Amino acid sequence: MTENSEDDRCRMTGCTRPAERTVTFERREDIAVCDAHYKRTVAIKYGVLVGISVVLAGLALAARWLVV
């Protein structure tokens, strides 16, 4: 292994796969991650957005039902 091969690895805890992409976290740091962790991060982000939308739509329907 070369000296800088540690820099080419995924930065997620316990992952030893090579880093292929970067992800920006809340602290606005670009962190190198493997493809699996990138897909997981994107899925979580969009899952939260869809979940919030569904909850808000449900609340709007409930409010409409209470008003009418």
Side-chain angles (χ1 to χ4, degrees):
M1 290 173 50
T2 61
E3 190 174 309
N4 63 356
S5 66
E6 187 68 30
D7 294 335
D8 297 337
R9 296 200 183 265
C10 180
R11 302 305 249 177
M12 295 297 197
T13 305
C15 186
T16 59
R17 291 177 274 209
E20 298 170 358
R21 299 177 183 219
T22 59
V23 175
T24 303
F25 286 99
E26 292 176 7
R27 292 175 261 144
R28 293 179 172 68
E29 297 177 19
D30 286 335
I31 298 182
V33 295
C34 63
D35 195 44
H37 280 109
Y38 176 79
K39 288 179 182 178
R40 179 177 175 260
T41 303
V42 170
I44 290 171
K45 178 173 63 173
Y46 287 112
V48 168
L49 289 175
V50 168
I52 290 172
S53 299
V54 168
V55 168
L56 290 176
L59 290 173
L61 286 174
R64 181 172 182 242
W65 179 74
L66 288 173
V67 171
V68 172

